[in-house]
Amino acid sequence: MILDYLKVGPLDVNCSILVCPNSNEAIVIDPGGNEEDILARIAALDARVKLILITHSHFDHVIAGARLKKETGAPVCLPKKDRGVWRLMGLQFKLAKIEGKKPPHIDRFLKEGEKVSVGSLSLEVIHTPGHSPGGCAFYMKDENLIFAGDSLYRDSVGNWQVPFGNFEDLVRTLHDKFMTLPDNTRVIPGHGEETTIGREREHNPFLKPGRIEELREAERTRPGTFRMLLAMLLPKFFSLKSAKK
Ligand SMILES: [Fe+2]
């Protein structure tokens, strides 16, 4: 298997390109922007993209999705349980001031435990809620490799303090889904440097004894999704109203 990845878009998302060495068929994960760079990398690899996977419904992971789909004809797949948040993708593009682009149409929804295959590439869908309700990681057991989305990073974890984030779900995801994998599993996160499960088990400050309990205590006073959305949207509403006057 050939794996290449590049940082793309306004939030430096890791966009991965996986190529089957027998057929040159490929999978792209999280096309978060910089369409020309992604297409150039695909051409350099002489790859034919057959599938586009999105780890979760946040705008920064899909900015180049529509263009990539148009250029390659590959279907776009999203975790089924993130379908609700996907309905707000147009709003996310607006709030992030992503102009002249639209989110891609989703062709296929993915479920926990499902396998997606292209050529000799086979990835298992692992539901990893917490940062978003339906977010998924893509696991290649035979390759000791996981694409973690925004759930686990080198020395950090996904932000649960976002609309529809959930701290307890994230804790379960980290302990039940990631920390049960072998230490030598290579982790390609949604942002930042790659790592391994063993390294994070040993060094990640969020996985140290007692840290979860401290954070759980702080969670008691955190505003919920409804209040967070109000805080984001109300200033925009009032600025629109005053602009009309
Ligand atoms: Fe995210």
Side-chain angles (χ1 to χ4, degrees):
M1 182 200 68
I2 297 156
L3 165 63
D4 198 359
Y5 61 95
L6 60 161
K7 290 192 192 313
V8 296
L11 299 181
D12 280 344
V13 159
N14 288 325
C15 170
S16 297
I17 304 166
L18 289 160
V19 188
C20 165
N22 306 321
S23 64
N24 277 23
E25 292 176 316
I27 297 175
V28 173
I29 302 175
D30 283 349
N34 295 86
E35 292 88 338
E36 300 303 333
D37 293 346
I38 298 174
L39 289 166
R41 198 69 71 96
I42 291 165
L45 291 164
D46 197 22
R48 291 179 290 121
V49 178
K50 294 292 173 185
L51 208 57
I52 299 166
L53 302 178
I54 312 289
T55 55
H56 64 290
S57 295
H58 285 168
F59 78 94
D60 53 321
H61 294 251
V62 295
I63 294 168
R67 172 80 190 281
L68 199 60
K69 178 178 169 164
K70 189 175 168 212
E71 298 285 342
T72 64
V76 179
C77 308
L78 179 81
K80 190 173 185 185
K81 290 188 174 175
D82 240 18
R83 194 161 47 172
V85 186
W86 184 268
R87 293 196 182 102
L88 301 173
M89 192 55 78
L91 177 65
Q92 290 188 47
F93 270 48
K94 271 196 187 121
L95 289 172
K97 297 190 167 51
I98 308 298
E99 283 162 11
K101 293 189 174 81
K102 284 187 175 164
H105 173 75
I106 301 297
D107 301 286
R108 178 177 162 192
F109 291 101
L110 304 173
K111 288 188 216 150
E112 159 94 340
E114 190 175 337
K115 294 246 169 70
V116 287
S117 301
V118 162
S120 61
L121 310 170
S122 178
L123 295 83
E124 182 185 345
V125 179
I126 298 182
H127 184 212
T128 55
H131 175 68
S132 72
C136 280
F138 300 111
Y139 182 41
M140 301 181 84
K141 190 176 181 184
D142 294 344
E143 303 279 349
N144 281 324
L145 174 66
I146 191 163
F147 299 90
D150 284 359
S151 294
L152 177 66
Y153 303 123
R154 186 180 171 101
D155 288 329
S156 190
V157 296
N159 185 4
W160 64 91
Q161 298 180 337
V162 292
F164 308 103
N166 183 293
F167 176 72
E168 295 300 338
D169 283 350
L170 184 69
V171 171
R172 278 191 288 275
T173 284
L174 293 169
H175 286 278
D176 299 348
K177 302 292 175 75
F178 285 101
M179 289 302 115
T180 51
L181 298 175
D183 277 350
N184 63 348
T185 307
R186 184 180 175 193
V187 179
I188 311 294
H191 304 262
E193 301 304 309
E194 67 171 87
T195 183
T196 64
I197 291 294
R199 187 197 177 279
E200 296 317 300
R201 202 190 306 281
E202 197 171 340
H203 297 290
N204 192 310
F206 288 87
L207 300 173
K208 297 279 183 206
R211 182 69 179 134
I212 294 298
E213 287 68 26
E214 282 172 23
L215 292 168
R216 186 173 281 132
E217 189 57 36
E219 272 299 285
R220 293 179 202 281
T221 54
R222 188 172 72 82
T225 289
F226 181 68
R227 277 173 59 193
M228 252 190 279
L229 283 173
L230 271 185
M232 284 164 70
L233 296 175
L234 275 181
K236 292 189 182 292
F237 175 74
F238 283 115
S239 68
L240 269 178
K241 278 197 111 180
S242 58
K244 278 181 188 165
K245 278 179 190 169

